[in-house]
Amino acid sequence: MRDVQNRYQGLPPRTPEMLYNIVRKFYRGAVNHYDLIQEKKADVKRALAEWTGAKEDERQQRQQAVNGALTTLFLEFHFYVTCWLQIEMALYRLAKNDERHARIMEQFRGVLETHVNVRHYLEQPEKCVDAQWEGDPKNRRLPGAERDLYRFGETLFTVDTQSLESLHALYEAIAAVRAESE
């Protein structure tokens, strides 16, 4: 498996057409995964509500349910940001030979880096779940789930409409360059 830090090393040669197919495939994968992620977010909210409303003797069991729902959500996030990573690596290779793609890469650098950085953390979803809990053992809180904004290192992140709109804009920019080239 390719790690995030070394993602550009040893990339096999690909034709521009192959790279455009990679972009299209992973764009579709991420877009199609969006609704499932929203369902998993709802599962986390439900589990959190049950945990919050639980009696003291039930809280441990309910916390395990919250952690399970978070783990599932983060595995779905992992798939989504992996799609971003694959698009980013294809765009990187396209940008090496075409200034128009290099401009796209620069234009979307911030959002690409955010998604790729989150992917790095999601390689260990259980650690990501543990990192969400704040407070002492008696008064633990889960502010990320309450706000739908989760902590991955120093990055606050969620898969939301803003992320999806950025993905659409990135794909449209790449597709426009491809159309110009035909």
Side-chain angles (χ1 to χ4, degrees):
M1 178 169 295
R2 186 173 298 281
D3 66 343
V4 169
Q5 276 73 23
N6 300 310
R7 66 187 176 274
Y8 302 136
Q9 294 178 0
L11 291 173
R14 299 282 186 250
T15 65
E17 189 59 34
M18 291 171 78
L19 294 170
Y20 287 128
N21 287 337
I22 290 169
V23 168
R24 184 175 45 255
K25 172 185 173 182
F26 286 100
Y27 166 74
R28 288 179 181 166
V31 169
N32 289 335
H33 211 65
Y34 180 81
D35 289 338
L36 177 61
I37 290 171
Q38 303 318 304
E39 290 173 20
K40 297 307 173 189
K41 284 183 187 182
D43 292 347
V44 169
K45 294 263 188 203
R46 263 190 303 283
L48 185 59
E50 290 174 7
W51 175 76
T52 303
K55 296 177 184 169
E56 191 62 39
D57 60 336
E58 297 176 336
R59 286 185 74 94
Q60 174 105 15
Q61 181 182 6
R62 298 290 182 192
Q63 183 174 334
Q64 289 175 349
V66 172
N67 286 347
L70 275 172
T71 299
T72 300
L73 175 64
F74 291 166
L75 290 171
E76 302 307 337
F77 275 16
H78 184 272
F79 178 83
Y80 180 83
V81 295
T82 296
C83 291
W84 275 82
L85 173 65
Q86 293 296 325
I87 293 168
E88 191 261 0
M89 289 191 314
L91 181 58
Y92 170 81
R93 290 189 276 185
L94 288 165
K96 286 173 62 173
N97 297 316
D98 189 325
E99 182 61 34
R100 297 170 299 176
H101 289 110
R103 284 192 299 270
I104 293 169
M105 191 143 195
E106 187 58 37
Q107 177 186 353
F108 288 91
R109 180 168 310 286
V111 71
L112 287 165
E113 286 177 359
T114 296
H115 286 79
V116 170
N117 181 50
V118 168
R119 164 102 176 14
H120 168 73
Y121 285 97
L122 285 169
E123 287 298 312
Q124 300 178 332
E126 293 82 13
K127 283 187 177 183
C128 292
V129 169
D130 291 342
Q132 304 308 309
W133 290 97
E134 293 180 0
D136 62 63
K138 291 275 188 199
N139 296 313
R140 295 187 89 186
R141 299 178 322 112
L142 199 61
E146 295 163 5
R147 296 185 323 251
D148 185 29
L149 202 56
Y150 302 91
R151 179 169 302 282
F152 300 96
E154 298 302 314
T155 303
L156 296 175
F157 177 83
T158 192
V159 177
D160 58 6
T161 55
Q162 182 179 355
S163 172
L164 188 62
E165 288 169 5
S166 295
L167 180 63
H168 289 317
L170 174 61
Y171 180 75
E172 289 168 11
I174 294 168
V177 171
R178 180 180 186 209
E180 288 175 12
S181 301
E182 291 181 342

